[in-house]
Amino acid sequence: MMAQAWNRMRGNRAPEYAPLPLSEKEPTRRRREHVAKERAWRVLQVLGALVCIYGLASIFSHRARAPALCDTIEEGYRCNPETTHFWGQYSPWFAVPSEIDVAAPDGCDVTFASVLSRHGGRDPTLGKSMAYHIMIADIQNATITYPGEFAFLKDYEYALGADQLTDAGRQEMVNSGAHFYRRYAKLFGEHTPFVRSGGQQRVVESAERWLTGVAQSRKEEPRKIDLIIPEGTDWNNTLSHDTCPAFEDGPDHDLGDRAQQVWAAKFVPPIQERVNSALGTNLSVTYILYLMDMCPFETLAHPVAKISDFCQLFTEKEWREYDYFQSLGKFYGYSVGNPLGPTQGVGYVNELLARLTEQPVQDNTNTNHTLDSNPATFPLDRKVYADFSHDNDISNVLAALGLYNETHALYNTTIEDTKETHGYSAAWTVPFASRLYVEKLQCRDDKEESVRIIVNDRVHPLEFCGGDEYGRCTLSEFVESQSFARSGGHWSRCYD
């Protein structure tokens, strides 16, 4: 039913994409699906523009991305950071400021590297995409005049897809693979990475694109994903929270929504008054938030993530308020602000400890014992690991590790910046293509290896295990600090 309604709503119009630098040789799946239709009625209109705008990018697709583009391998998305770095979990990846140098300390060699990554930028989910389309139709049906920055809305045609990666999101993941390889290239010389992915299509494709970024850096053919674990309530999967009933449906399952509603009632009305006054409409609070959502989604739908016209409808102050709105949702929905949030990440943390210590997994939460007891599906002798998941699941893991134990309960009536939240925000933790790096270091004159944790290029100080000025804890101190995970968190409450 939903799919049929979506097809009727979209008609035959398809999103338009162009080749990206560093893209794979084969056309993307979306372009293959629509190429016949596009050739039939769009080729004459867009051919000239494609040649002029994207021709050089296509010719040099095997080379590094041009400096003029917004997204880069080392720094991530850098255009209009005063706006684009404040889209919460819908932000494109960017290197977060770090008080500790992200480079390995002098005299230290990295002996182990692991990444837990979110998928790249995507279209809205199906339900949201349908809601956005209806919103645009309602605005256009009710509006007579479109003053100033609203002028583009008069002839705007909705063309966002649903659920899958956009071409800009695919490029994010290629860049992510290149970023990881550049940092840990020495490890790749002798060690093959073990790569796992959650089963949803955009997550699987993100892993594939990440492997493409690694392969392009090494000038070789991409490897295959080693293991894809289905998502859903029927599978124990540390890359997907689904098996704790109290978390999914219990009395605290909507804490994030409740916190957001309070903050929205405070920051949205002034925006609502301004927009409705300009358009002569009566848009609800929900529609204003949807209108703001259109900015990141339209930006990421552009082949090279050109900033959307929707973004200019709101001020820098309003984007910071929006970012805080999204942070409240993640903090109380999936992070330390939810009584069972950190517990959902315990299984993954125990798998990480097993890899770090090369000892069998000790866990009775959401790990898959069949997979984790088999060296073919959970090896312990690798030095490079890569896992791919979703923002909510990564929020659980970051909380389970204790990275935001110093973050107090976020206020939902006044905005707090990242200094006040000890580095917590949705944009800083789980943007599209976000990445959690965990590395072991063998440093000169140290008898024991040490551990560092890097979230989106921000080195965490690891106070909870005695982190030094470089953010290092000894391996034994780090393992000892993970008592919450090793004891199973509050998993017993899942069935209360």
Side-chain angles (χ1 to χ4, degrees):
M1 260 325 253
M2 288 280 283
Q4 291 173 350
W6 171 244
N7 289 333
R8 288 196 301 271
M9 185 180 68
R10 282 191 73 192
N12 292 325
R13 182 173 174 80
E16 296 169 13
Y17 297 99
L20 291 177
L22 287 178
S23 63
E24 291 187 304
K25 295 179 181 178
E26 293 296 322
T28 64
R29 183 174 63 85
R30 183 174 307 213
R31 296 190 72 208
R32 290 198 301 269
E33 291 174 346
H34 296 292
V35 66
K37 293 179 183 178
E38 290 182 355
R39 285 177 179 172
W41 62 283
R42 295 288 289 176
V43 65
L44 293 178
Q45 292 176 301
V46 303
L47 182 58
L50 289 174
V51 170
C52 295
I53 300 173
Y54 303 118
L56 288 176
S58 300
I59 292 170
F60 296 105
S61 62
H62 64 288
R63 297 186 182 178
R65 182 173 273 228
L69 298 181
C70 290
D71 197 20
T72 65
I73 292 173
E74 292 298 334
E75 296 294 324
Y77 200 90
R78 286 296 156 184
C79 290
N80 294 74
E82 68 283 354
T83 296
T84 60
H85 293 184
F86 292 90
W87 294 343
Q89 69 275 14
Y90 300 144
S91 303
W93 184 82
F94 61 93
V96 174
S98 180
E99 295 180 0
I100 301 173
D101 191 347
V102 72
D106 290 342
C108 295
D109 292 321
V110 177
T111 58
F112 169 103
S114 171
V115 57
L116 173 61
S117 171
R118 186 189 179 191
H119 58 75
R122 58 165 172 81
D123 283 320
T125 58
L126 177 59
K128 281 288 188 74
S129 199
M130 295 177 71
Y132 297 157
H133 197 167
I134 292 169
M135 173 199 64
I136 295 296
D138 286 349
I139 290 174
Q140 292 175 334
N141 288 335
T143 303
I144 298 175
T145 60
Y146 298 85
E149 64 270 20
F150 295 94
F152 78 95
L153 284 171
K154 181 178 181 180
D155 300 313
Y156 172 77
E157 295 183 48
Y158 190 89
L160 296 179
D163 290 308
Q164 302 308 318
L165 297 184
T166 65
D167 275 6
R170 295 181 179 100
Q171 186 63 45
E172 276 191 300
M173 296 310 300
V174 174
N175 287 353
S176 178
H179 182 277
F180 186 85
Y181 178 78
R182 288 182 181 184
R183 180 169 181 81
Y184 302 114
K186 289 183 179 179
L187 281 179
F188 279 85
E190 299 179 3
H191 305 286
T192 301
F194 184 81
V195 179
R196 295 188 306 177
S197 170
Q200 199 159 7
Q201 174 57 35
R202 64 176 176 265
V203 181
V204 173
E205 187 178 2
S206 292
E208 292 170 344
R209 298 286 168 159
W210 185 90
L211 283 165
T212 296
V214 171
Q216 288 180 346
S217 300
R218 292 174 59 82
K219 296 180 173 58
E220 63 185 22
E221 290 298 312
R223 294 181 59 253
K224 299 288 187 181
I225 300 171
D226 293 287
L227 180 65
I228 298 173
I229 310 175
E231 300 178 21
T233 56
D234 294 334
W235 287 81
N236 273 12
N237 183 351
T238 58
L239 302 177
S240 178
H241 69 87
D242 292 297
T243 55
C244 175
F247 178 71
E248 305 298 336
D249 302 308
D252 294 325
H253 80 279
D254 62 346
L255 274 181
D257 293 337
R258 283 185 264 162
Q260 286 183 313
Q261 288 171 5
V262 174
W263 177 237
K266 185 173 182 65
F267 93 89
V268 173
I271 306 174
Q272 193 178 8
E273 181 179 355
R274 175 175 60 80
V275 172
N276 282 329
S277 176
L279 294 176
T281 51
N282 188 27
L283 303 183
S284 65
V285 169
T286 298
Y287 266 15
I288 294 298
L289 291 169
Y290 284 175
L291 201 59
M292 298 187 85
D293 290 347
M294 289 294 295
C295 163
F297 282 120
E298 272 284 322
T299 297
L300 286 161
H302 188 276
V304 292
K306 177 184 176 184
I307 296 174
S308 167
D309 288 336
F310 282 94
C311 303
Q312 67 184 350
L313 302 181
F314 307 96
T315 67
E316 291 180 23
K317 175 179 178 291
E318 290 164 352
W319 283 120
R320 280 160 175 74
E321 294 168 334
Y322 173 86
D323 184 66
Y324 194 65
F325 171 82
Q326 302 295 6
S327 295
L328 286 170
K330 294 303 171 192
F331 183 83
Y332 287 105
Y334 301 94
S335 189
V336 295
N338 187 294
L340 282 174
T343 295
Q344 307 314 299
V346 160
Y348 184 87
V349 172
N350 285 328
E351 290 181 332
L352 174 65
L353 295 176
R355 289 169 169 176
L356 286 166
T357 60
E358 299 184 12
Q359 298 294 321
V361 177
Q362 300 295 321
D363 180 81
N364 290 303
T365 62
N366 64 339
T367 50
N368 187 307
H369 290 283
T370 301
L371 296 177
D372 283 4
S373 62
N374 185 342
T377 51
F378 195 83
L380 292 171
D381 59 350
R382 304 292 180 94
K383 301 300 182 184
V384 184
Y385 296 91
D387 297 311
F388 296 85
S389 184
H390 301 272
D391 54 341
N392 295 337
D393 306 285
I394 296 173
S395 295
N396 298 151
V397 171
L398 299 177
L401 283 166
L403 299 185
Y404 299 99
N405 286 349
E406 299 299 315
T407 303
H408 63 75
L410 301 187
Y411 301 134
N412 59 3
T413 57
T414 183
I415 196 168
E416 298 180 271
D417 62 27
T418 49
K419 289 184 179 179
E420 296 169 299
T421 65
H422 290 270
Y424 185 88
S425 82
W428 277 32
T429 57
V430 287
F432 286 126
S434 69
R435 59 213 62 165
L436 161 68
Y437 290 171
V438 179
E439 56 186 27
K440 279 199 299 186
L441 302 156
Q442 183 61 64
C443 302
R444 187 185 309 121
D445 300 327
D446 287 350
K447 295 181 179 179
E448 186 179 2
E449 289 178 304
S450 56
V451 175
R452 290 209 311 170
I453 294 182
I454 303 167
V455 179
N456 301 319
D457 276 13
R458 177 175 180 256
V459 181
H460 277 252
L462 301 189
E463 299 103 330
F464 54 76
C465 57
D468 64 10
E469 61 183 310
Y470 303 108
R472 298 176 301 178
C473 291
T474 65
L475 176 59
S476 60
E477 289 172 333
F478 178 75
V479 172
E480 183 67 22
S481 74
Q482 297 303 303
S483 58
F484 178 78
R486 291 188 294 114
S487 65
H490 303 307
W491 192 256
S492 61
R493 299 183 191 175
C494 285
Y495 305 97
D496 288 349

